[in-house]
Amino acid sequence: MKAKTQFEPATFTQPHAFIGGQWVSAAGGHTIDVINPATGDIFGSVPALGFDETNQAIEAAKGALPHWGKLAASERAAVLKKWHALILEHQEQLAEILTGEQGKPHSEALGEISYGAKFVEWFAEEGKRAYGDIIPAPRAGQKILVQKQPVGVCALIIPWNFPSALFHRKAAAALAAGCTVVVKPSELTPFSALALARLAQQAGLPDGVLNVVTGMPSEIGRALMASPTVRKLSFTGSTRVGKLLMEQAAKTVKRVSLELGGNAPMIVFDDADVEVAVRACMASKFRNGGQTCVSANRVYVQTAVCEPFTKALKVAVDELRVGPGTDRSATIGPLINDAAVAKVARHVRDACSKGATVITGGKAHRLGGRFYEPTILANAQASMELAHEETFGPVVPIFRFDTEAEAIEAANDTNYGLASYIFTNDINRALRVSDALDTGIVGVNEGAISNEVAPFGGFKESGIGKEGSYQGIEEYLDTKYIMISLKD
Ligand code: SIN
């Protein structure tokens, strides 16, 4: 008989947050429900922690900082690697939790767990490479040492679209750097973070190094942002909230990393391999049902290939299977909540009222609830809402264009600058257009651009700072310079 582990998914639908190594309830026992987006049923409930409990978590992180920050990087790496192994060992259960609270298909949930785990492995090693410098001093008899040290207590605010992978992308970097953290998962998807915290505890992470506070954002955010102990904020979410947090961070001059909204253009030139472009469009647009900051939001197709591209894309979109993530044959799940469905419907309605043609989809799915049909709209125009606002849903609007200059101008005509995609077989054009696009990430003949080794982050109102890569750990390190005057 299989040994029962301490890690059954049901354990994580118990109402406990994680502070100072203890599994805690809210004062007064208040909880908030987490809804399964596929069914509308309650998936579980978590403590509705507030201002005071968040301050307790900050104090726990502060108390744990001196020990954790002073360990050798290899000692921190040993704990992170154990955590990594436990995550992989429990990936099926973690995927089950993720699908239950977020809705994504099981195969995508499994993909997210392994994607997230890679950040833990990567940063465990990167922590060992937080190199300093010795700088030639201006005067004889002096030495200048430059060293890196952990920023301190960090607040990590995790979004609902990738509650597991983005937890890791932030937490693993911070912990490897020697920081301690207070994690605030989205109130819509808190269980992945709690499950990962339990595995971190089993991996031997000392009490207080990682704390998870659950509840509504306003009180928790107020405590995190007001605290002078919190020296760094890393937030993934909307540009609107990112701007507010940036303002609040100014009061105590916290460092900020912000990964905010996107409005990614995908440009398909007439010399592109249409099959490759369609495959990449499917991967980018329909990952997580389009609820991804780097999803292609506007697809610009050069006139000569517009018809074959649209036809081939329709075939691929019509093959998608909409259904609850627990149905192993489903390839696209529900949207996160009713507001998300309403926004998608509003964008489609607005586009159609301004001349877009529905190629496929275009309405709520017959399954009802939060399911929306995968949709292609032709004849999209710059005047439509979906040209300027992230749809965050399964809608591909196709804009026709004639010249390279026109495509670049349209692609850059947005306040956002996270990702963009180019499809062409002309290397000169690929490099020329990559240079011209105002985005932090460019995919050339590639729709999957997220991984642990590359610097993920946007330009303009899409954010500040990088996650992943050797640059990701820098976000959690301060540089100190030491001037030494030597005696003769
Ligand atoms: C995001 O949507 O915020 C991130 C997605 C990714 O890591 O690719």
Side-chain angles (χ1 to χ4, degrees):
M1 202 175 84
K2 197 174 146 248
K4 194 167 157 64
T5 69
Q6 295 174 46
F7 191 79
E8 294 299 331
T11 317
F12 297 96
T13 50
Q14 301 304 314
H16 292 116
F18 188 55
I19 298 180
Q22 303 299 314
W23 293 92
V24 301
S25 304
H30 300 297
T31 58
I32 53 171
D33 292 336
V34 176
I35 304 299
N36 175 339
T39 61
D41 295 338
I42 295 173
F43 179 65
S45 41
V46 288
L49 300 185
F51 189 83
D52 292 342
E53 291 109 329
T54 305
N55 276 323
Q56 286 163 18
I58 295 169
E59 282 307 303
K62 183 181 172 186
L65 184 64
H67 170 69
W68 183 250
K70 286 205 171 72
L71 285 181
S74 58
E75 292 174 300
R76 288 195 290 267
V79 179
L80 292 178
K81 284 184 181 174
K82 217 159 158 197
W83 192 23
H84 173 253
L86 285 170
I87 292 161
L88 294 186
E89 190 185 319
H90 295 288
Q91 55 188 305
E92 273 294 336
Q93 295 100 316
L94 289 166
E96 206 178 303
I97 293 164
L98 179 51
T99 292
E101 65 180 357
Q102 204 280 338
K104 64 184 66 184
H106 180 76
S107 58
E108 270 198 53
L110 267 182
E112 179 175 341
I113 303 305
S114 81
Y115 167 50
K118 288 192 177 120
F119 289 100
V120 181
E121 188 183 38
W122 171 264
F123 283 118
E125 290 300 325
E126 278 306 295
K128 299 176 192 171
R129 290 186 275 272
Y131 300 134
D133 283 312
I134 297 181
I135 294 182
R139 282 207 294 277
Q142 292 180 323
K143 279 213 180 298
I144 292 180
L145 310 183
V146 179
Q147 67 188 40
K148 298 289 171 73
Q149 64 182 54
V151 165
V153 174
C154 301
L156 311 179
I157 304 186
I158 316 294
W160 54 262
N161 61 343
F162 289 88
S164 182
L166 297 196
F167 175 100
H168 288 311
R169 191 153 83 187
K170 295 178 194 303
L175 298 179
C179 296
T180 56
V181 300
V182 179
V183 177
K184 152 76 181 79
S186 165
E187 66 281 10
L188 303 177
T189 55
F191 287 113
S192 292
L194 294 171
L196 293 167
R198 193 172 289 261
L199 291 180
Q201 190 179 35
Q202 285 177 21
L205 196 71
D207 292 351
V209 171
L210 168 71
N211 304 275
V212 180
V213 289
T214 56
M216 294 307 283
S218 55
E219 283 301 281
I220 296 174
R222 194 162 69 82
L224 292 173
M225 298 315 291
S227 168
T229 302
V230 174
R231 295 313 316 143
K232 156 100 195 174
L233 163 75
S234 178
F235 167 75
T236 295
S238 71
T239 295
R240 184 187 64 79
V241 174
K243 287 179 182 179
L244 281 174
L245 292 171
M246 202 171 167
E247 257 179 58
Q248 293 168 8
K251 296 210 173 82
T252 47
V253 195
K254 293 186 203 318
R255 283 175 59 166
V256 292
S257 295
L258 303 172
E259 203 255 278
L260 309 177
N263 180 8
M266 175 173 277
I267 308 175
V268 183
F269 288 102
D270 56 11
D271 62 359
D273 181 330
V274 168
E275 210 180 295
V276 168
V278 167
R279 223 180 302 128
C281 184
M282 294 302 293
S284 163
K285 179 75 249 185
F286 292 101
R287 176 173 170 231
N288 200 21
Q291 302 171 109
T292 306
C293 320
V294 289
S295 272
N297 200 52
R298 299 167 288 151
V299 179
Y300 297 96
V301 187
Q302 203 157 13
T303 299
V305 286
C306 203
E307 213 180 296
F309 176 86
T310 308
K311 265 195 183 149
L313 187 68
K314 178 175 178 340
V315 171
V317 169
D318 288 345
E319 278 172 6
L320 289 171
R321 270 190 67 110
V322 179
T326 47
D327 170 353
R328 299 288 165 110
S329 65
T331 51
I332 178 164
L335 293 168
I336 188 70
N337 56 22
D338 294 343
V341 179
K343 183 177 189 190
V344 170
R346 171 166 62 80
H347 276 192
V348 171
R349 220 171 27 247
D350 171 75
C352 291
S353 76
K354 292 174 181 159
T357 320
V358 175
I359 301 295
T360 191
K363 57 184 189 309
H365 193 270
R366 63 184 157 69
L367 286 174
R370 295 163 182 185
F371 292 94
Y372 197 89
E373 290 182 347
T375 297
I376 304 174
L377 301 175
N379 304 321
Q381 305 294 331
S383 59
M384 297 171 181
E385 285 178 3
L386 48 66
H388 303 284
E389 237 187 274
E390 201 174 21
T391 303
F392 235 56
V395 180
V396 185
I398 298 180
F399 301 73
R400 196 181 277 254
F401 73 93
D402 289 313
T403 66
E404 183 180 305
E406 190 193 323
I408 292 169
E409 191 182 336
N412 284 338
D413 183 18
T414 171
N415 292 339
Y416 298 100
L418 184 53
S420 56
Y421 305 86
I422 308 166
F423 293 84
T424 175
N425 280 317
D426 175 346
I427 182 71
N428 293 306
R429 169 176 269 168
L431 293 176
R432 190 168 61 233
V433 179
S434 298
D435 281 352
L437 291 174
D438 284 338
T439 60
I441 308 168
V442 183
V444 178
N445 297 329
E446 179 59 81
I449 38 92
S450 306
N451 56 63
E452 73 284 10
V453 303
F456 187 106
F459 292 176
K460 301 197 279 187
E461 294 187 19
S462 285
I464 294 175
K466 301 294 171 197
E467 295 190 317
S469 97
Y470 71 91
Q471 296 188 25
I473 198 163
E474 290 290 334
E475 302 282 331
Y476 298 93
L477 291 167
D478 268 333
T479 298
K480 178 180 282 175
Y481 124 66
I482 302 170
M483 161 68 91
I484 305 170
S485 254
L486 299 169
K487 288 197 171 140
D488 290 337

